[in-house]
Amino acid sequence: MHKFVILLAAPALALAVPAQAQESASQIDYPGFTQLTAEVANLRSERLLDAASFFTAARTQGALLLDTRSAAAFEAGHIKGAVNLPFSDFTDAKLREVIGEDLDRPIYIYCNNNFRDNIMPVVTKRAPLALNIPTFINLVGYGYANVWELGDVLSLSDVEWVAAAD
């Protein structure tokens, strides 16, 4: 009888575990993400560059122009000189492989929403979901302190664009 009562009580006990503990056990930390987002907000607002400053800085020795769109979108077209690491592939190891060991290396990011054309391969996303936002937060969260973001909205004709056929 006791075993039967324990078996019936187990699901109720699982539901009683706080959500934070459940997330922690599953390696998902939403409260930690929201805290990191709040901590990064002011830094990000200070790191938005106009197009001229962005492209000048991105061409300096040691700088990395990082495109975190999908590999397919990158292959279809990207800013000349950009390196691709899809956002979904971010891990400590993959970031070190692409960016290098220098956590202070200047990293310059852009995304679909930096282009007004709204055509492939840079179809506009909903503004609160623009890829620059999670990319910036994640790079800082992984320890890269020198991240800069294109703050302007341009036309594809305003940049040196490279496509797979080029």
Side-chain angles (χ1 to χ4, degrees), residues 1 9-10 18 26 28 32 52 59 66 69 77 83 87 99 103-104 108 116 119 122 133-134 137 142 147 151 153 158:
M1 174 74 170
S26 69
I28 298 169
R59 287 196 246 351
L66 184 63
R69 296 174 304 135
V83 171
F87 179 76
I99 298 171
L103 295 177
D104 289 322
Y108 296 87
R116 70 175 62 88
I119 57 173
V122 285
I133 298 167
I137 294 165
Y142 275 101
V147 182
V153 177
D158 295 333

Side-chain angles (χ1 to χ4, degrees), residues 3-123:
K3 289 180 186 177
F4 181 72
V5 171
I6 291 172
L7 288 174
L8 286 177
L13 290 173
L15 293 174
V17 176
Q20 186 173 3
Q22 289 176 359
E23 285 185 356
S24 178
S26 69
Q27 301 186 60
I28 298 169
D29 182 4
Y30 187 76
F33 176 77
T34 58
Q35 181 179 345
L36 176 62
T37 300
E39 290 170 4
V40 169
N42 288 335
L43 176 64
R44 184 178 168 269
S45 68
E46 297 166 2
R47 299 289 181 86
L48 296 170
L49 298 175
D50 63 83
S53 300
F54 180 87
F55 290 111
T56 297
R59 287 196 246 351
T60 60
Q61 181 69 27
L64 176 68
L65 180 57
L66 184 63
D67 184 322
T68 63
R69 296 174 304 135
S70 70
F74 183 81
E75 185 71 16
H78 58 273
I79 297 174
K80 184 178 181 180
V83 171
N84 183 235
L85 175 58
F87 179 76
S88 60
D89 292 344
F90 277 24
T91 63
D92 284 306
K94 195 67 174 173
L95 286 163
R96 294 290 190 278
E97 178 184 320
V98 172
I99 298 171
E101 296 294 327
D102 182 3
L103 295 177
D104 289 322
R105 182 178 188 185
I107 303 167
Y108 296 87
I109 62 172
Y110 67 95
C111 76
N112 290 15
N113 284 30
N114 288 118
F115 299 95
R116 70 175 62 88
D117 307 87
N118 196 27
I119 57 173
M120 285 301 292
V122 285
V123 177

